[in-house]
Amino acid sequence: MTEIAAQTQTALTRLVADRQTKGRVPGVVGAVARAGSLAWSHGAGSADLEAPGVPPTADSQFLIASQSKTLTAVAIMALRDEGKLSLDDTVEQLIPESKHEGITVRQMLSHASGMQREPVGDVWDVMKFPDRAELVAGWNEAERVGKPHHRFHYSNLVFSLLGEIVARLDGRSWYDAIKARILDPLEMRRTTVGMDGGPAAVGYYVPPFSDVPVREQLLALGSMDACGGLASTAEDLAKWAMFVADPVDEVLSKDTLDEMCQVQIMADTDRWQLAFGLGFMLLRRGDRIFVGHDGGMPGHITSTFVHRPSGTAGIALQSSTSAPAPSALATDLIIKVLEDDPLPAEPWVPGTTVPPELAGVLGTWFSEGSPFVFSVKGGRLQAKSPAAAEHLAPAVFDRVSEDVYRTVSGRETGELLRITRDADGVPVKLHWATYLCTREPLAFGEHLG
């Protein structure tokens, strides 16, 4: 366990206690993970009101509900990386019985398909949820209530169907697929469909006009498990969050996880504080972006969010249908740690060599009248404008062939850098993304005069 300073732990404990008291939540667990593991956790209230005063712990299961969607999304992306589907594939290509045409996997992952929110049949009224056959039949009856990509529209129906796609392409049930692909490799042993019978928090509804909680029933979601059927613990969710911060190839490559965290659609078009990537919520607070998801089931309101640049995660588990916003607590915990007890900076490590072909390239070049400093770190060429914000990473280049480099990250990712030399082999100009770079600042076309 990565230690957090005692003073910061006290402040974190107060945050959890405050949320439990003001939110009138029977039981709350707050947790922080960083540097690859669970670093702190605290339970407040009672795990079960029939045994009052015994708080839930990091090993207490809660229903994590829609956090299940992030695991479904990772399974879909793994299938994509294996060549079993494309993000541009349509539902009818993967589920031939589908009568809705042109809905792509990308639209489904980002809640941009325009399909209705829930399966047909008023499932949250009658508390009867479809099996796999009923799900597909109901999909065909469901409405497309909006145009694709026109606006964000959250859909449990769509993610349930993504679970069906996982099952068909993987040749096993959705849960068996994510267990083999995600849960077992990450050793998330207490992440199950519904409660596993071990230590758990009982879910309650706390009425607005009394302080007498009502015990909520546990539901079996059937084919909707892929959108919200999982239960988990803070200990398991810490492992999941650390994977989101620093993926392992056995589950999903870093490049693909990065792709999932790119904005696909803005959910909050007024303040731009919430967007969706491919299966992940992207929540902005101040200058920081947090990646994760909320979850809500009768009796359980939960959240896990990760600040990927620092590898820090916050987890909020609450045993009340009417609990306060879980993402606020999860991100409050992260922010408190980042501001009061950040991990020390990685020590600077000197390089060992400068590739000889780059020796004449280093230093300042000017493009469009502005300077860019080209340097070498760890044997790789990189470039950054002196005026760029400190938080922006430099462009990094990989050699393609003699005097040709590809930008692999940062500004102009994907574009080529070409070096032109004089008869003596001295670099005299660069072309980066086709733009001319010279040693002296020039107006456009001045070199042609």
Side-chain angles (χ1 to χ4, degrees):
M1 181 177 288
T2 305
E3 287 295 328
I4 291 176
Q7 184 174 358
T8 305
Q9 291 190 41
T10 299
L12 296 173
T13 298
R14 287 192 183 120
L15 283 173
V16 173
D18 178 73
R19 223 53 62 97
Q20 191 269 340
T21 299
K22 292 182 179 178
R24 302 190 309 143
V25 183
V28 178
V29 170
V32 172
R34 67 175 181 179
S37 64
L38 182 67
W40 170 89
S41 66
H42 177 72
S46 301
D48 184 343
L49 293 179
E50 293 184 5
V54 181
T57 71
D59 190 42
S60 298
Q61 268 196 325
F62 288 72
L63 300 176
I64 63 168
S66 287
Q67 291 193 56
S68 308
K69 291 180 173 69
T70 58
L71 283 80
T72 298
V74 164
I76 287 284
M77 296 303 288
L79 290 165
R80 191 285 303 271
D81 288 354
E82 293 165 9
K84 296 178 180 177
L85 61 80
S86 161
L87 294 185
D88 296 323
D89 283 347
T90 58
V91 175
E92 66 270 20
Q93 290 175 271
L94 303 169
I95 300 180
E97 311 96 289
S98 174
K99 295 180 181 178
H100 288 287
E101 297 182 349
I103 297 173
T104 68
V105 174
R106 182 184 300 277
Q107 292 169 1
M108 297 171 79
L109 287 169
S110 56
H111 297 287
S113 71
M115 286 297 293
Q116 71 179 55
R117 181 183 175 109
E118 303 295 339
V120 297
D122 299 326
V123 295
W124 295 105
D125 177 13
V126 299
M127 295 299 180
K128 182 180 182 300
F129 302 94
D131 61 24
R132 289 176 61 179
E134 291 168 337
L135 175 71
V136 176
W139 165 265
N140 288 331
E141 298 174 24
E143 284 190 287
R144 195 165 188 176
V145 298
K147 294 180 288 187
H149 297 286
H150 183 60
R151 61 169 58 91
F152 167 82
H153 186 71
Y154 192 83
S155 178
N156 284 321
L157 168 62
V158 162
F159 260 82
S160 299
L161 208 69
L162 284 170
E164 177 66 15
I165 290 171
V166 169
R168 293 193 183 196
L169 294 184
D170 222 32
R172 49 191 167 183
S173 72
W174 167 81
Y175 180 70
D176 285 346
I178 66 157
K179 186 174 187 300
R181 288 179 171 275
I182 301 170
L183 303 180
D184 288 347
L186 298 182
E187 298 183 351
M188 297 171 64
R189 298 188 179 90
R190 297 206 60 215
T191 300
T192 55
V193 171
M195 300 298 195
D196 66 2
V202 175
Y204 296 93
Y205 169 65
V206 181
F209 305 117
S210 82
D211 58 358
V212 182
V214 179
R215 186 167 179 153
E216 293 275 23
Q217 62 178 303
L218 290 172
L219 304 176
L221 296 187
S223 65
M224 293 180 66
D225 285 338
C227 83
L230 291 178
S232 191
T233 68
E235 288 187 357
D236 267 16
L237 290 171
K239 296 173 183 177
W240 173 245
M242 293 298 89
F243 161 77
V244 174
D246 187 16
V248 292
D249 287 341
E250 183 181 0
V251 176
L252 200 69
S253 73
K254 180 182 183 303
D255 284 348
T256 299
L257 205 293
D258 290 347
E259 181 184 359
M260 296 179 73
C261 297
Q262 297 296 313
V263 173
Q264 301 292 319
I265 192 166
M266 190 62 62
D268 171 15
T269 56
D270 293 322
R271 297 189 176 184
W272 285 36
Q273 293 177 337
L274 178 64
F276 267 76
L278 298 171
F280 283 105
M281 298 170 67
L282 308 173
L283 178 64
R284 180 173 66 83
R285 292 190 60 183
D287 293 332
R288 298 185 178 100
I289 303 296
F290 302 92
V291 175
H293 214 288
D294 289 340
M297 279 282 282
H300 299 260
I301 302 294
T302 68
S303 188
T304 300
F305 273 88
V306 183
H307 182 246
R308 296 188 75 214
S310 68
T312 308
I315 299 160
L317 306 174
Q318 304 173 106
S319 63
S320 171
T321 305
S322 52
S327 58
L329 176 55
T331 53
D332 278 350
L333 295 172
I334 300 172
I335 291 168
K336 175 57 67 174
V337 170
L338 291 180
E339 294 183 350
D340 291 3
D341 189 22
L343 289 170
E346 290 291 326
W348 177 77
V349 177
T352 57
T353 184
V354 174
E357 66 272 15
L358 295 178
V361 178
L362 307 185
T364 300
W365 294 81
F366 292 84
S367 180
E368 300 181 80
S370 298
F372 288 87
V373 176
F374 284 74
S375 59
V376 167
K377 181 179 180 180
R380 300 177 80 186
L381 183 65
Q382 60 182 32
K384 186 172 182 178
S385 165
E390 184 177 352
H391 74 274
L392 293 176
V396 178
F397 305 89
D398 277 352
R399 189 173 187 270
V400 176
S401 59
E402 185 176 358
D403 286 340
V404 179
Y405 292 78
R406 180 77 67 184
T407 317
V408 294
S409 64
R411 182 188 179 108
E412 305 297 358
T413 295
E415 297 281 359
L416 288 177
L417 173 74
R418 294 181 286 113
I419 302 169
T420 300
R421 301 176 186 268
D422 64 16
D424 295 323
V426 176
V428 292
K429 62 181 178 180
L430 312 176
H431 287 90
W432 185 16
T434 77
Y435 283 84
L436 177 66
C437 301
T438 57
R439 284 296 193 185
E440 301 294 331
L442 298 175
F444 273 90
E446 185 177 345
H447 66 293
L448 301 174

